[in-house]
Amino acid sequence: MSRIGKSPVSIPEGVTVSVNDGLVTVKGKLGELTQEFSEIEIKVKENEVVLERSSEKKNFKAKHGLYRSLIQNMVEGVSQGFTKELELVGVGYRASNQGQKLDLAVGFSHNIVMDLAPEVKVEAIAEKGKNPRIKLTSFDKQLVGQVAAKIRSFRTPEPYKGKGIRFVGEQVRRKAGKSA
């Protein structure tokens, strides 16, 4: 049996989980998330969610752990939320935001202006003597990760000088330049 799938998901106070014909809905103080599911039985007992599979076939086993992880992320998201921080490393690299618009100056001839989803809160932090940072916050883990990956893709860190947009704490593998 799936080690991840067999452990129940505990529901904290202020979070409600409802299951009806192929759809799990999780509501909390930060928002509401829904997820479709199939081939797995989901039961809500008192203050925990239990997932059971009806067969030992490969796709049932795969979905058992998957849906448990998705529901865990939904419960954690609507109760606490998720944050991702990005760091801009490079001379003249800047970030600013006006509401839900993120304005990036990362060495191109023009600035990159990105409209963000209303569920994602963005904050551009610029401290003197430190690299500019972008802080993304939301209750949807998948959306935060997707937006952060999109921002990082505008200027991925390069291995020679380490310039680019990277996650805070990310280690960039450095290469030696050409030897003279």
Side-chain angles (χ1 to χ4, degrees), residues 73-90:
N73 288 338
M74 290 162 65
V75 168
E76 192 179 325
V78 296
S79 61
Q80 298 165 350
F82 294 101
T83 59
K84 286 253 187 204
E85 277 198 55
L86 296 145
E87 185 178 28
L88 281 71
V89 180

Side-chain angles (χ1 to χ4, degrees), residues 11-18 20 24-34 71 74-79 139:
I11 304 170
E13 274 188 49
V15 177
T16 57
V17 179
S18 60
N20 39 346
V24 179
T25 306
V26 181
K27 291 180 187 172
K29 64 178 185 212
L30 296 178
E32 177 182 342
L33 290 168
T34 58
I71 291 170
M74 290 162 65
V75 168
E76 192 179 325
V78 296
S79 61
F139 56 87

